[in-house]
Amino acid sequence: MRYEFIFWRFASSVFHNGRWLHSAHQYQTRLEQNQGDAPTEGNNVGTECVMDYSDQFTTYSIFNGRDALLRWAHEQGKLNNIVIVIKRSDYGGEGKRRPRVILACERNGNYKSCKSSETTDIRSDANNDMKKCARDTGTKKCGCPFLLKGVNIGDGDDWKLEVVCGVHNHPISEYLQGHSFVGRLTEEENALLLDMSKSLVKPRDILVTIKDRDAMNVSTMKTIYNVRIRNRTKEFAGRTQMQQLLTKLSEHNYIEWHRTSGDIVTDLFWTHPINIDILCAFPHALIMDCTYKTNRYHFPLLQIVGVTSTNMTFSVAYVYMNAEKEDNYIWALTALRSLLDDNCLLGVIVTDQELALMNSITSIFPKARHLLCRWHINKGVLANCKKLFGTLKQWKQFNEDWNTLVGSKTEEEYWHCLRQIKSKFSEFQKALEYIHENWLNPFKDRFVAAWTDTCSIRWTTTEAIDGDGCDGSISEMVRVCWVVQWGMSSSMVLRWRRWQRDGFFDGSAMEVVVNVMGCAIGCVCKRREFLMGWG
């Protein structure tokens, strides 16, 4: 009881070397008298560093709970660039002992020598041998006497905060960035980081968002990276990356197949049943291409994309392959073919000039028309032909004539444009040989408009439904009604397929198509009657 009485009597004093010092002046005087008592060398602490922050932490407020008290102390510390940590905590006990918490500066405690007993191996430049050397270590501890005391009062959860010592014996940090404790994220910030990480937001954008929400946040990029790694480790629960991927695919009801070589996964195919339903509704055009640098194993990722009647793309399937060989492509396309029914016939497949993929398409989808991507072709022409021309003007003229040749609407126009290119650029034989040997002679029917337009599906925009470009004929109405049927009733088609698969619908496909077509033709006819003044 005697010591407790002394503690409460001199709550704003400092206990230093066996004596209670009641002010910063007494503490500085005592420190000057005993400079040699404690090892303060190397920690930037001197007699001129005594600073009193008692007024900044003195409060007569009653806090509703221990967390509220800690939150106020930490926020007050941030305002003054001081990091407040918990030194001791006591949850009370039997009798009159009340819960309490002792808060201190992060530099409270004894200073440790820079030379540690730990040793590390370093390489000697003289004889290239390994030798032992003491490891240099440091600490922020400098015996800072700053102390705060929080005590539970009354029978409820009310707390009060008192300043035991408001003196710091070290310079106050100008900025708090880099202090690990004060840079920790709150629970709300952790939840926000987790949600944004799942949405594939970049770490720098996550940090900007957190700082926008809290102007006093002093977290750094290292904090964001550490939290992301900790959350990922917790989510993996000891599983490898491949095991985690297979687990997630199973949890979200994905269709997944894979091939292995021993214990190593060599190929992985996955898609979702909804994607297959959309493909069965719009099987007219597929785009296939590989992308790279998506994983640490350097596996190419084959992406298969479909196109709807409204020119919107949708994902069909993804395939990880250990190599871009014909065997890998055949396995991937066979997996895709097994998911389609006999009534789902692919119309057009567009790829780049990947010979293994082209041969696999011919083998698995022999009835599909295969076209080459003009963007990839133009990239190849740019990379191989631009350097052959002396001036930029010559290259631009050649590139313009090349695009005119590719866009030829008829075969007669194509041969005319080809003769013009040969006569105009006869002095650039290497460029002419490249476009002939690599593109025109073997593949002109797969990318020149004179041949590709014979199999393309020309979808009309919604402007045709508004009456623009419609001449009122029956053939034009049928064309527009097909746009209505595919553009407006795609969700109905998907819903019908889902009902048929689940056994809720017994009608035939023709009955549904007839009903949809009847509605579409009725809508178009009513629209034409209104526009032409019939109704």
Side-chain angles (χ1 to χ4, degrees):
M1 294 297 295
R2 179 174 178 270
Y3 294 104
E4 187 174 359
F5 172 77
I6 295 177
F7 181 83
W8 286 101
R9 174 64 180 83
F10 302 103
S12 61
S13 59
V14 183
F15 189 79
H16 180 74
N17 290 343
R19 293 184 57 188
W20 287 96
L21 306 178
H22 298 269
S23 64
H25 174 72
Q26 295 183 17
Y27 175 79
Q28 182 175 3
T29 304
R30 184 61 177 173
L31 186 63
E32 293 174 353
Q33 296 176 357
N34 301 279
Q35 287 183 356
D37 294 348
T40 60
E41 51 184 330
N43 57 9
N44 298 326
V45 177
T47 58
E48 69 280 0
C49 297
V50 178
M51 307 179 71
D52 193 351
Y53 279 82
S54 300
D55 296 338
Q56 286 78 357
F57 289 89
T58 299
T59 178
Y60 300 99
S61 302
I62 302 299
F63 299 95
N64 185 19
R66 179 176 180 269
D67 293 339
L69 182 144
L70 295 176
R71 192 182 306 113
W72 184 90
H74 290 155
E75 292 177 356
Q76 198 68 13
K78 284 185 179 180
L79 292 175
N80 295 277
N81 289 343
I82 300 172
V83 181
I84 305 298
V85 298
I86 299 177
K87 183 177 182 179
R88 289 192 304 273
S89 183
D90 188 357
Y91 289 93
E94 298 180 358
K96 297 182 179 180
R97 189 175 180 183
R98 296 185 178 278
R100 65 193 65 195
V101 58
I102 304 299
L103 306 178
C105 174
E106 67 170 348
R107 304 192 68 176
N108 178 271
N110 296 327
Y111 176 74
K112 298 180 181 179
S113 175
C114 293
K115 294 297 182 179
S116 173
S117 58
E118 299 180 10
T119 58
T120 183
D121 295 332
I122 64 171
R123 188 175 299 277
S124 175
D125 296 335
N127 51 15
N128 201 28
D129 294 334
M130 302 298 293
K131 66 178 183 178
K132 297 290 183 179
C133 179
R135 181 181 178 183
D136 291 337
T137 59
T139 179
K140 294 182 290 186
K141 306 296 183 181
C142 63
C144 179
F146 181 85
L147 286 177
L148 302 175
K149 180 180 180 181
V151 182
N152 175 257
I153 58 176
D155 297 331
D157 197 22
D158 295 334
W159 289 69
K160 69 175 182 179
L161 182 67
E162 298 178 352
V163 179
V164 178
C165 173
V167 176
H168 292 271
N169 65 346
H170 57 86
I172 301 301
S173 301
E174 187 175 357
Y175 305 102
L176 290 180
Q177 281 77 6
H179 291 259
S180 57
F181 181 83
V182 75
R184 294 178 182 176
L185 300 179
T186 62
E187 294 183 3
E188 294 79 8
E189 293 171 341
N190 269 304
L192 176 63
L193 184 147
L194 184 60
D195 291 339
M196 296 183 71
S197 298
K198 289 181 178 179
S199 301
L200 303 181
V201 180
K202 295 181 179 180
R204 65 171 180 266
D205 297 329
I206 297 177
L207 181 61
V208 170
T209 303
I210 292 176
K211 289 185 177 293
D212 287 342
R213 295 195 174 194
D214 184 8
M216 297 184 63
N217 183 279
V218 293
S219 301
T220 61
M221 285 297 299
K222 185 176 179 61
T223 305
I224 304 299
Y225 286 128
N226 290 342
V227 176
R228 283 164 56 96
I229 292 174
R230 184 165 59 251
N231 291 334
R232 189 180 300 116
T233 303
K234 186 187 302 182
E235 183 181 7
F236 278 24
R239 294 186 292 265
T240 63
Q241 287 191 338
M242 184 58 66
Q243 292 173 342
Q244 176 70 3
L245 175 58
L246 297 179
T247 301
K248 288 297 182 181
L249 292 177
S250 176
E251 289 179 359
H252 296 278
N253 300 321
Y254 275 80
I255 301 172
E256 174 268 324
W257 287 299
H258 63 272
R259 292 196 303 179
T260 60
S261 176
D263 296 333
I264 301 176
V265 176
T266 57
D267 301 276
L268 176 63
F269 173 97
W270 76 90
T271 184
H272 198 275
I274 296 180
N275 296 351
I276 300 301
D277 289 342
I278 301 176
L279 176 61
C280 292
F282 305 102
H284 312 288
L286 282 186
I287 303 172
M288 300 182 184
D289 192 18
C290 279
T291 184
Y292 310 93
K293 298 180 181 179
T294 61
N295 54 88
R296 66 173 60 183
Y297 306 106
H298 305 289
F299 278 12
L301 175 64
L302 175 63
Q303 301 184 64
I304 304 176
V305 179
V307 183
T308 67
S309 59
T310 55
N311 291 329
M312 295 185 65
T313 59
F314 62 92
S315 298
V316 176
Y318 296 91
V319 187
Y320 271 132
M321 305 180 299
N322 65 341
E324 293 183 276
K325 297 182 179 179
E326 189 171 339
D327 175 67
N328 302 90
Y329 284 118
I330 289 178
W331 178 85
L333 297 182
T334 302
L336 176 63
R337 183 67 184 89
S338 64
L339 297 174
L340 306 178
D341 52 34
D342 296 335
N343 297 325
C344 182
L345 301 178
L346 301 182
V348 176
I349 300 178
V350 183
T351 68
D352 59 356
Q353 192 189 18
E354 178 63 40
L355 297 180
L357 178 57
M358 296 168 63
N359 296 335
S360 303
I361 292 174
T362 304
S363 176
I364 305 302
F365 299 104
K367 295 183 180 181
R369 179 70 182 274
H370 177 238
L371 303 181
L372 293 179
C373 175
R374 292 180 181 176
W375 183 84
H376 285 91
I377 295 175
N378 290 334
K379 293 287 287 186
V381 173
L382 174 65
N384 292 276
C385 295
K386 184 178 180 179
K387 58 186 178 183
L388 302 177
F389 292 86
T391 63
L392 182 61
K393 182 178 180 180
Q394 292 176 332
W395 157 248
K396 288 184 177 180
Q397 184 62 44
F398 177 82
N399 190 44
E400 182 179 347
D401 292 349
W402 164 257
N403 290 326
T404 303
L405 174 67
V406 173
S408 301
K409 300 298 182 182
T410 62
E411 295 187 26
E412 292 77 9
E413 183 181 352
Y414 167 78
W415 293 114
H416 175 71
C417 294
L418 182 60
R419 286 192 295 269
Q420 283 189 339
I421 289 181
K422 288 182 178 180
S423 61
K424 187 182 299 186
F425 302 98
S426 58
E427 56 187 42
F428 302 100
Q429 288 299 320
K430 290 186 178 180
L432 295 177
E433 290 176 1
Y434 173 79
I435 62 175
H436 275 83
E437 295 177 0
N438 291 276
W439 301 111
L440 296 180
N441 292 340
F443 304 122
K444 66 175 178 292
D445 58 331
R446 301 192 182 191
F447 70 94
V448 178
W451 286 271
T452 60
D453 285 356
T454 59
C455 67
S456 62
I457 303 174
R458 303 182 63 83
W459 298 108
T460 310
T461 62
T462 55
E463 294 177 355
I465 303 177
D466 296 331
D468 298 334
C470 184
D471 56 7
S473 63
I474 296 297
S475 61
E476 185 69 11
M477 289 184 182
V478 171
R479 181 181 67 84
V480 175
C481 80
W482 272 108
V483 174
V484 176
Q485 187 250 325
W486 286 112
M488 298 179 61
S489 63
S490 60
S491 61
M492 184 183 298
V493 174
L494 296 178
R495 190 178 297 111
W496 168 78
R497 290 189 58 84
R498 193 173 297 111
W499 288 345
Q500 186 185 41
R501 182 182 59 195
D502 297 338
F504 296 112
F505 182 72
D506 297 331
S508 63
M510 183 58 65
E511 179 182 353
V512 175
V513 172
V514 168
N515 292 335
V516 174
M517 284 294 295
C519 295
I521 293 176
C523 293
V524 174
C525 292
K526 288 293 183 181
R527 179 62 175 168
R528 290 303 304 163
E529 292 177 2
F530 175 78
L531 292 175
M532 301 181 67
W534 297 346

